[in-house]
Amino acid sequence: MKRKGIISAVSGLAAGVLVAAVFFADFNKEEKASSAADNKSKAEKVYVPYGEYDDYYMLASGGHSGQLFVYGVPSMRKIRTVPVFTPDPATGYGYDENTKKMLGGYTWGDFHHPAVSETKGDYDGEFLFANDVGNNRVAAVDLSTFHTADIMSLPNMGGPHAGVFVTENTEYIALPTRFARPLGGKYAELDKYKEEYKGVVSMAKFDRDKKKFNLAYQIMLPPWSYDLSDAGKKMSGDWIVMTTYNTEFATTNLEINASQNDRDYIVLINWKKLEGEVAKGNYKEIEGVKMVDPRDYKGAIYAIPVSKSPHGVDVTPDGKRFIAAGKLAPLMTVFSFEKAFEAIEKEDYSDEKFGIPVLPYKKVMEREVDPPGALGPLHTQFDDKGNAYNTMFISSEVVKWKVDTGEVIDRKPSYFSPGHSSAAEGDTVDPDGKWLVALNKIAKDNFLSVGPSHPESMDLFDISGEEMEHIMAAPVDPEPHYAQIVHKDKIKPKKLYEKDEKRKNAVWSKEDAHIERKGNEVHVYGVALRSKFVFDAKSDRPDAVTVNQGDRVFFHMTNIDLDQDITHGFGINDYNLNFEVQPGQTNTLEFVADQAGTFPIYCTNFCSALHQEMSGYLLVKPKE
Ligand code: K7E
Ligand code: CUA
């Protein structure tokens, strides 16, 4: 089989016009195919025998599907889809009252970067945070149930692409905006871009007991585009770093106009300092949010020039350096926090932009790493031996190099065009150095064809040795922007929702199931168990509910099968409604019975040998 890899290269012309050129690179069979013995050893590395588990969870962003994908590593088996920003009939997410309210009418989201909650810079496995670039939201997934626990809308943002990342102890979940926008999203002519448009960073707090977000404050910045960001660690723990592009303030044709400057900026912000100012009341209330302008406070914000249009910026596990990857400049730039702090101390500034002191590039930069022919570096991950791993979008490869010296150790192709990669615990203070998954944007002919558009692709590499070993490719739905690979011991999922006698709307025995009517509201306090629904214990047809057309109906259902994995679904024929109750869970379905007639209700989730019998009737009496 002859493989063709598409490589799109972006090259700058004299006039600053960027042209995308397309090359075809041939990977011939001899180079690509490995021997049968090789294949056997690779297969053995990832084979997880029945009865055993993968070592890691990979929690992968589902991009514009708005969902979270859960994979096992190293097997690369997909375990679960967790709906976050998008309704999901398979689990009834967005149909029951609570999740419907949480989604607030949105039917899609664009989930880019997952961030697992951290303690001392290491994953603690309790929650996962996600950004919605499409509709300006942040979500928290409870990793004890893999259910979305809260979603908060973020005002003043234009797509929080550069988040989410958490500070060392999850003090904050930070979300910098991608597009600058007038505050409140108000109307302002594009000619007023520099004056009226703002680049805003949201600093959210999450209360783990209440499982609720609140927006602590926002940071108002110049109308640059913030691309990616990271939180400092250890010595740099009070800081956040962000890459910018479009420091040209282009308002049209960004492909060209936002790629003019040779240098854009890394922005350094001291969140600790800003937190202190907010506590002292030094903020303005704008659009109902505490807004701080870091330029009002000495020592809160700095910029560092970086080669043009950088994409990722990642802090090293020891917190001493940060690495920017230049999507248009084919190099990784290593910066030193120590040197940055020194320059700040001495007030050694080379420039000032928008009132922001600019630190001299030469004094803060430690080295530029420029492997020959490696093009389009996007993101950096780390192992436990002081090495960095960079994905190269254009030259389709992963480059391993030594952070201390810049020495390139290994390069391996990835199939094709990787965006992020994710190494086992590879963005924490304590990476494991075991596996790395390149999250590719293009699959080409990796898998059985499903038409003109293919799945995205993930390449699994074993990175435990000196050389990286490509093990396998696995398909993934759009779009794997980023993932975190978390050791299985750090996540402690529940087997059940514990029985709670005081839970609102819950009924814990068949005998207690009942119906209450208040005016035109009908509240059904029912139970689901193998293999029946009980809505009204006193009725001679306990699994039927009769209401009047126009009534507002509430099915408060409790699954009283306290047995792991016995989930009951609840679909109403012809009513376009379906939700579920997991073991021990209580959920409410609320709707107006506007359609008169007879509607079967049935359990949608296969739960027992008599699952087909798990049904009932909704009877809606016509108005007249
Ligand atoms: Cu896909 Cu992280 Cu949204 Cu880079 S971003 S590739
Ligand atoms: Cu309950 Cu099927």
Side-chain angles (χ1 to χ4, degrees), residues 197-266:
Y197 286 56
K198 308 288 174 201
V200 168
V201 181
S202 292
M203 300 294 280
K205 271 195 164 303
F206 186 73
D207 182 325
R208 296 196 197 205
D209 295 323
K210 294 193 183 114
K211 301 182 186 175
K212 279 266 163 228
F213 282 111
N214 84 289
L215 186 51
Y217 62 93
Q218 287 187 325
I219 309 169
M220 190 164 70
L221 294 176
W224 295 332
S225 284
Y226 302 89
D227 207 9
L228 259 303
S229 53
D230 201 3
K233 298 178 172 91
K234 298 180 177 176
M235 69 162 315
S236 57
D238 295 350
W239 294 80
I240 61 180
V241 288
M242 313 190 289
T243 51
T244 62
Y245 63 105
N246 196 17
T247 54
E248 296 87 351
F249 305 109
T251 54
T252 182
N253 200 358
L254 262 60
E255 185 191 7
I256 292 166
N257 295 334
S259 307
Q260 300 290 313
N261 293 348
D262 270 345
R263 298 228 179 269
D264 289 296
Y265 297 99
I266 300 261

Side-chain angles (χ1 to χ4, degrees), residues 131 151 171 206 285 371 513 553 556 614:
N131 55 340
I151 296 180
E171 293 94 340
F206 186 73
E285 188 97 16
V553 182
H556 307 288
M614 190 166 174

Side-chain angles (χ1 to χ4, degrees), residues 65-69 78 80-96 99-100 102-103 106-109 146-148 151 477 567 569-570 576-582 587 589 604-605:
S65 78
Q67 296 166 326
L68 168 72
F69 302 141
K78 188 178 181 188
R80 195 73 159 125
T81 294
V82 179
V84 180
F85 294 117
T86 308
D88 175 40
T91 54
Y93 183 79
Y95 294 74
D96 67 76
T99 57
K100 194 170 159 186
M102 218 157 49
L103 283 180
Y106 289 105
T107 56
W108 83 289
F146 285 78
H147 278 159
T148 302
I151 296 180
D477 276 326
T567 293
F570 187 106
N576 194 30
L577 292 170
N578 179 42
F579 78 124
E580 73 172 22
V581 270
Q582 298 191 357
N587 253 340
L589 181 74
T604 47
N605 199 314

Side-chain angles (χ1 to χ4, degrees), residues 370-383:
D370 183 7
L375 298 174
L378 291 186
H379 299 280
T380 315
Q381 289 281 290
F382 303 96
D383 69 11

